[in-house]
């Protein structure tokens, strides 16, 4: 035991741990540049081995305080160096396990008290018609370089449901390729926050997309289905409610009647539950697959996908979920072992104890250019018996009830703001205390009589 402690508290171990730490940080920088922040977190910043290295550094510093008897007036600067690093490591641990970051989007003249997490989670709602329970996994860090793992167990009314990762696809996208004797697919396009999303529904199946149940030539029609089938060699559709549409080909508006089978207007924009939907095209003799597309340099976080194997009792099913950091897509549905599952992969919603009302968003540009020079968010903080105004802009952060709000970005149509939110009061406070002690130790080392600089100054005199 004594020999082991000698190794742990030796200067060689200190040097080795610092070398590993510095090398890991350098490698993580290159990984983040080439593969994104999530991959860097998965392999380095959020990895258990990296936490162990940092923990061993803290133990090493603490052991050296006792080993070299640094708790003395003569060795105060060196003691401050060691205790400062220990406190910084402690603050990093508090940040890692207690703090979090989120994003908040607010449109002008609207209020919001909800934000979404930076990290991704697997969110599951299990129900049987009578009861429903919600489950949220620990944060998921998926790496484009592999080594990914998901194995979650959900216990709903004494029935266990296991969710296991089969495949992770970064920058995921469905594509159709020609195939002799292939299947028929209905291509549905939905605009989500000015972003186009394509869905392909196989003939004979039913899918729930953004809360809209679409049945494509299935054997049975349910009450709330948008039902599409072939009638007299013509593709026809039936809506559960009167639905307006605008044909971009004919440049003409019209309406679909309720519960009546009428010809389907392809490439027409329909409003279903206030969601813009286009039944774009019907593809025959196709094979559908999911692929990883080329990296787009103009997009920070591109949507990924995970394929899960869901097991309960004797049943085994697969489900593909699109999402990732910054995405909070609608739930995808799955029915297994008499249990209805709603599953989502991506950011989770976080409730604020107050609301933010965006009174005005101001974007300034450089003269004679479209490039933004600065942007401001004029907010009103609204909570019970307390209203006040605050303007957030670059380097002007709003602190309120332990939350820090930063100006991060803005909506593409400039109709609102995107704020970065940090919730880490204790982690930040502890870390700043560590930085202050580190700075004090550096300052004292220049003037302390027993320090290297003090002895050198004395010899010069």
């Amino acid at each position: 035991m004594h020999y082991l402690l000698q190794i742990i508290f030796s200067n060689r171990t200190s040097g080795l741990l610092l070398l590993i730490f510095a090398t890991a940080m350098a490698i993580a920088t290159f990984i983040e540049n080439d593969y994104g922040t999530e991959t860097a977190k998965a392999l380095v910043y959020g990895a258990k081995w990296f936490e162990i290295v940092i923990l061993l550094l803290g133990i090493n510093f603490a052991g050296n305080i006792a080993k070299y008897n640094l708790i003395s007036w003569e060795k105060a600067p060196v003691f401050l160096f060691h205790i400062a690093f220990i406190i910084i490591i402690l603050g990093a641990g508090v940040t890692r396990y207690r703090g979090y970051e989120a994003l908040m989007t607010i449109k002008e003249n609207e209020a919001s008290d909800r934000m979404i997490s930076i990290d991704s989670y697997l969110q599951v709602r299990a129900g049987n018609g009578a009861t429903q329970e919600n489950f949220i996994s620990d944060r998921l860090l998926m790496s484009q370089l592999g080594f990914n793992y998901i194995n979650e167990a959900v216990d709903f009314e004494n029935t266990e449901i296991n969710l296991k990762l089969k495949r992770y696809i970064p920058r995921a996208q469905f594509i159709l390729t020609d195939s002799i004797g292939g299947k028929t697919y209905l291509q549905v396009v939905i605009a989500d926050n000015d972003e186009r999303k394509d869905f392909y529904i196989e003939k004979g199946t039913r899918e729930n997309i953004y809360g809209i149940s679409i049945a494509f030539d299935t054997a049975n029609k349910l009450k709330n289905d948008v039902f599409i089938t072939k009638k007299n060699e013509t593709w026809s559709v039936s809506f559960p409610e009167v639905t307006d549409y605008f044909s971009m080909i004919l440049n003409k508006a019209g309406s679909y009647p309720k519960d009546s089978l009428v010809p389907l207007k392809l490439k027409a924009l329909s409003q279903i539950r206030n969601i813009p939907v286009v039944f774009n095209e019907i593809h025959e003799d196709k094979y559908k697959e999911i692929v990883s597309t080329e990296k787009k340099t103009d997009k920070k976080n591109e949507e990924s996908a995970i394929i899960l194997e869901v097991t309960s009792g004797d049943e085994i099913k697969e489900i593909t979920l699109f999402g990732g950091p910054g995405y909070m897509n609608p739930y995808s549905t799955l029915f297994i072992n008499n249990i209805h599952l709603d599953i989502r992969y991506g950011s989770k919603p976080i409730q604020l104890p107050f609301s933010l009302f965006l009174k005005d968003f101001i974007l300034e540009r450089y003269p004679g250019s479209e490039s933004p020079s600065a942007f401001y968010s004029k907010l009103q903080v609204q909570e019970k018996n307390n209203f006040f105004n605050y303007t957030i802009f670059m380097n002007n952060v709003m602190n309120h009830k332990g939350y820090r709000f930063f100006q991060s970005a803005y909506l593409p149509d400039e109709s609102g703001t995107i704020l970065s939110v940090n919730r880490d009061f204790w982690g930040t406070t502890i870390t700043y205390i560590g930085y202050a002690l580190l700075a004090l130790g550096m300052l004292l080392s220049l003037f302390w009589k027993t320090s290297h600089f003090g002895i050198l100054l004395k010899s010069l005199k």
Side-chain angles (χ1 to χ4, degrees), residues 2-66:
H2 178 70
Y3 179 71
L4 180 62
L5 291 176
Q6 279 187 323
I7 294 175
I8 293 174
F9 301 137
S10 69
N11 291 332
R12 288 185 178 181
T13 301
S14 301
L16 178 62
L17 290 172
L18 287 170
L19 179 63
I20 294 172
F21 179 80
T23 304
M25 295 292 285
I27 293 172
T29 302
F30 290 106
I31 292 175
E32 186 170 7
N33 180 67
D34 294 337
Y35 299 99
T37 303
E38 190 179 22
T39 300
K41 284 183 178 180
L43 297 182
V44 182
Y45 300 131
K48 288 295 180 186
W49 69 266
F50 190 66
E51 292 181 6
I52 291 171
V53 169
I54 295 175
L55 178 62
L56 288 175
L57 269 172
I59 293 172
N60 182 271
F61 284 128
N64 280 326
I65 291 175

Side-chain angles (χ1 to χ4, degrees), residues 65-78:
I65 291 175
K67 179 180 178 181
Y68 295 103
N69 192 25
L70 298 181
I71 308 177
S72 64
W73 185 252
E74 292 79 10
K75 300 176 182 179
V78 182

Side-chain angles (χ1 to χ4, degrees), residues 172-221:
Q173 180 180 320
F174 277 121
I175 64 167
L176 297 179
T177 55
D178 293 328
S179 175
I180 298 174
K183 297 178 180 179
T184 301
Y185 293 92
L186 168 67
Q187 182 183 3
V188 180
V189 179
I190 289 181
D192 183 14
N193 291 328
D194 298 321
E195 184 178 350
R196 170 179 171 148
K197 293 195 174 184
D198 292 78
F199 301 88
Y200 298 92
I201 304 176
E202 184 182 332
K203 183 180 178 181
T205 65
R206 175 186 289 103
E207 287 196 22
N208 191 292
I209 302 173
Y210 281 68
I212 303 168
S213 179
I214 303 175
F216 182 37
D217 209 16
T218 57
N220 62 320
K221 175 184 176 299

Side-chain angles (χ1 to χ4, degrees), residues 364-404:
E364 295 180 353
R365 290 184 167 86
Y366 291 105
S369 170
E370 289 298 311
S371 300
S373 60
F375 39 95
Y376 308 81
S377 298
K378 293 189 174 182
L379 299 163
Q380 183 183 66
V381 179
Q382 301 176 342
E383 56 185 333
K384 189 176 181 180
N385 301 324
N386 186 21
F387 290 77
F388 65 91
N389 297 323
Y390 198 94
T391 300
I392 299 177
F393 52 90
M394 197 63 68
N395 297 325
N396 193 60
V397 180
M398 184 178 81
N399 289 281
H400 187 59
K401 289 195 170 180
Y403 296 89
R404 290 169 58 84

